[in-house]
């Protein structure tokens, strides 16, 4: 079987798996950051360059407000510890797709994985929203543990502040977790997103979501991801589904 045919077969299987997962979670979400966000790892590889597209679908509990988010990003490593990323997000609430915000990130891997399998990094984020006089500055502490040959654990702690005419006062916090295991050609994960709102209190109820995700590679350059979240507590979307497709250069 030729390499092109093998790649085509893998692509079809990946797409089918993504559709099955989306159906299971979507049939079972206002869109928050997790709709096109991720439980991110801290690792930087020298020479890495990648572009990625993400599609997020979120439906509220009443079932009458569906939002679609499109996220395009490109990233490149400056060396084996520092990586920069540029992001653009578009949003559709049923009245057409509109530009939502741009974002820049700088990730510094502070600890490389040693014998214990632990790695860590700090990600600095800056976001500028469209036409709302609102900007956001954030800090993300990323941690990862590789346990044995197949298991991987990730934990992210995020804080951010808002600036601009419509900014809310205070420091806002989130925590994200994932536990994943490689099963044959794919990686299956349990994920959790927790938005605590203002850490000084008085800024609304905390929102907690949890769900499943699967990911894998197509050939040497392509990667894919499909996942979904369900509400655990708080005013979380009733359904939150995400697809990703990435390509390394």
């Amino acid at each position: 079987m030729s390499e092109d045919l093998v790649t085509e077969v893998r692509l079809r299987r990946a797409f089918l798996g993504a559709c099955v997962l989306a159906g299971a979670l979507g049939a079972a979400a206002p869109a928050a950051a997790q709709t096109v966000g991720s439980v991110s790892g801290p690792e930087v590889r020298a020479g890495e360059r990648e572009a990625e597209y993400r599609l997020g679908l979120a439906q509220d509990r009443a079932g009458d407000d569906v939002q679609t988010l499109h996220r395009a990003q490109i990233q490149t490593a400056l060396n084996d510890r520092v990586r920069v990323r540029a992001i653009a997000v578009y949003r559709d609430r049923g009245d057409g797709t509109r530009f939502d915000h741009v974002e820049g990130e700088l990730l510094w891997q502070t600890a490389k994985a040693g014998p214990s399998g632990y790695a860590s990094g700090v990600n600095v984020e800056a976001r500028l929203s469209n036409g709302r006089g609102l900007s956001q500055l954030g800090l993300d502490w990323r941690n990862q543990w590789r346990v044995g040959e197949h298991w991987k654990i990730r934990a992210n702690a995020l804080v951010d502040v808002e600036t601009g005419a419509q900014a809310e006062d205070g420091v806002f916090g989130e925590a994200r977790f994932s536990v994943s295991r490689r099963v044959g050609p794919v990686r299956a994960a349990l994920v959790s997103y927790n938005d605590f709102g203002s850490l000084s209190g008085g800024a609304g109820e905390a929102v907690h979501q949890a769900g499943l995700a699967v990911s894998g590679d197509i050939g040497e350059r392509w990667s894919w991801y499909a996942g979904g979240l369900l509400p655990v507590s708080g005013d979380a979307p009733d359904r939150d589904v995400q697809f990703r497709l990435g390509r390394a250069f």
Side-chain angles (χ1 to χ4, degrees):
M1 186 180 294
S2 68
E3 183 178 351
D4 290 341
L5 184 56
V6 170
T7 299
E8 182 179 354
V9 171
R10 289 176 176 173
L11 183 58
R12 288 178 179 176
R13 288 176 178 173
F15 179 75
L16 178 60
C19 290
V20 170
L21 180 65
L25 291 169
Q34 55 266 29
T35 303
V36 286
S38 61
V39 186
S40 303
E43 294 180 314
V44 176
R45 300 183 307 275
E48 71 171 291
R49 290 185 298 168
E50 184 177 277
E52 185 177 80
Y53 167 73
R54 300 184 184 182
L55 172 65
L57 303 171
Q59 183 177 21
D60 67 7
R61 295 187 180 222
D64 55 4
D65 184 10
V66 178
Q67 297 189 62
T68 303
L69 277 81
H70 306 271
R71 167 169 161 162
Q73 67 182 46
I74 187 167
Q75 64 187 39
T76 184
L78 304 182
N79 50 49
D80 67 344
R81 285 188 179 267
V82 178
R83 186 182 71 205
V84 292
R85 173 185 289 173
I87 300 167
V89 175
Y90 289 78
R91 185 187 300 263
D92 185 352
R93 291 189 175 91
D95 56 354
T97 302
R98 301 179 181 179
F99 169 70
D100 189 78
H101 69 265
V102 291
E103 187 172 339
E105 298 183 356
L106 187 148
L107 171 63
W108 172 36
Q109 184 173 355
T110 56
K112 291 288 186 179
S116 66
Y118 172 70
S120 181
V122 176
N123 191 66
V124 180
E125 309 166 354
R127 175 185 299 184
L128 179 62
S129 298
N130 178 36
R132 298 198 299 272
L134 177 64
S135 299
Q136 190 177 74
L137 299 174
L139 190 66
D140 176 7
W141 181 29
R142 301 177 178 180
N143 300 275
Q144 178 175 283
W145 296 262
R146 292 186 180 272
V147 183
E149 184 178 354
H150 301 293
W151 290 92
K152 184 189 297 183
I153 301 171
R154 286 179 175 177
N156 299 164
L158 304 88
V159 293
D160 63 71
V161 295
E162 296 179 353
T163 63
Q166 300 185 35
E168 294 186 40
D169 294 333
V171 178
F172 298 84
E174 290 184 59
R176 301 176 183 177
F177 306 95
S178 73
V179 178
S180 66
R181 188 185 194 281
R182 179 162 292 282
V183 183
V186 303
R187 179 170 291 276
L190 296 174
V191 296
S192 171
Y193 289 74
N194 307 273
D195 186 345
F196 302 107
S198 174
L199 299 181
S200 58
E205 185 179 6
V207 174
H208 304 283
Q209 292 176 276
L212 302 172
V214 290
S215 59
D217 298 320
I218 306 169
E220 295 183 356
R221 294 186 178 273
W222 291 90
S223 61
W224 62 273
Y225 173 103
L229 298 169
L230 295 175
V232 176
S233 66
D235 190 22
D238 200 33
R239 287 184 284 272
D240 209 329
V241 180
Q242 182 187 135
F243 303 93
R244 304 180 206 162
L245 185 64
R247 189 183 191 280
F249 296 93

